[in-house]
Structure formats: C-alpha cells, structure tokens
Amino acid sequence: MALVQELYDELSLYTLELRDPAFIHQHVVDAYAAQHADANTKPITIVFALMGLYLHLEKGFTGKQVQRAHMRMAQHRKRWVAPPLPQRQALIGVADVLAAAPGAGRNAMIRRWCAAVWKDWDASRGQIASLAQAELDVMP
C-alpha cells in the first residue's frame, strides 16, 4: 500500500503543477478515495468521492465545480451514510494513469480511471443521484 500511496502522491503533484482552471486534481482525489475505500473509510470520504465522480462523469462538472459542490455539501449535513462497498475494484489504477504520457494522454487516462472506478460503484448510482438532487439541486 505504501507504493500505491507514493504513486498517488506523484500523480497529485503532477495535477497540482498543471494549475489548470478546470482543476483536474479534484478528479484524481475522488477516484483514488472511491477506489481505495474500505470498512475503515469515513462515510463522508466515500460520499464526497462518489458525488465528485457522478458530477464529473454524468453531469460534466469540472474539478473546480466539483470542489464547490463539496463545499456546499459540507454546509448541509454532519452525518453521511456511505453506500455499501463494491464487490470489485477497477482494473485501472493510479499506476496506469502515471504510465500514460504527461499532458493530454495522462489527462485522458485520468478520465478513464474515474469512469472505471465509478462503474464499480454502479449499484450506488441511484443513492448518489438522489443526494445530488437533494443537496445540490442537480437533476438526476
């Protein structure tokens, strides 16, 4: 797990150094959190990560818009209920993202990674879509 954390740190440095207005770094944070969630992960971490993936992949939100949505959500509730953990883990991981050439190729791989992780949580889509509507007025 230490190696995966080091790779995540490397990818985080890459995305933060981009200083892009869309803030792709948020998608990395959300994909990593959702992919590595386990029984010890706080519900808020899981819910916010899944919300970020949902908003990005299904509603076209940029990382900056997802970050703002997270800030709005943090103002509304104190206790979050995480959906059940998925039975599988995406075949794409942080190492695969880093293996892609920096720039457009790596950025596209980040999106593929997000999509693969979101697919693992497909059983929770309804819960997250309902939460987006209730908390953020985002139509499912």
Side-chain angles (χ1 to χ4, degrees):
M1 189 65 175
L3 175 61
V4 174
Q5 181 65 51
E6 288 176 27
L7 294 174
Y8 171 71
D9 292 345
E10 182 180 338
L11 182 58
S12 292
L13 182 61
Y14 164 78
T15 56
L16 288 169
E17 285 180 339
L18 290 174
R19 298 189 192 286
D20 66 311
F23 197 54
I24 195 171
H25 176 71
Q26 184 65 54
H27 307 315
V28 169
V29 171
D30 292 336
Y32 185 84
Q35 186 171 47
H36 295 277
D38 62 22
N40 297 316
T41 306
K42 292 180 180 180
I44 190 172
T45 301
I46 296 170
V47 170
F48 277 45
L50 295 178
M51 183 63 73
L53 294 175
Y54 170 76
L55 293 172
H56 173 53
L57 296 166
E58 296 197 22
K59 300 300 176 185
F61 279 40
T62 65
K64 185 57 79 177
Q65 291 170 316
V66 168
Q67 186 182 49
R68 286 188 197 116
H70 286 165
M71 291 186 310
R72 280 184 59 197
M73 289 170 61
Q75 295 173 351
H76 297 149
R77 287 194 185 189
K78 299 294 183 218
R79 189 165 173 241
W80 299 92
V81 178
L85 296 171
Q87 297 300 311
R88 63 184 189 277
Q89 191 176 53
L91 297 178
I92 298 174
V94 68
D96 302 300
V97 175
L98 280 172
R106 185 171 291 168
N107 297 353
M109 183 58 104
I110 289 170
R111 183 171 173 82
R112 284 184 56 211
W113 178 35
C114 289
V117 172
W118 180 234
K119 184 174 173 70
D120 287 347
W121 290 87
D122 193 50
S124 303
R125 187 202 175 278
Q127 177 183 344
I128 298 303
S130 294
L131 191 61
Q133 184 175 11
E135 295 292 324
L136 303 169
D137 297 319
V138 173
M139 296 307 294

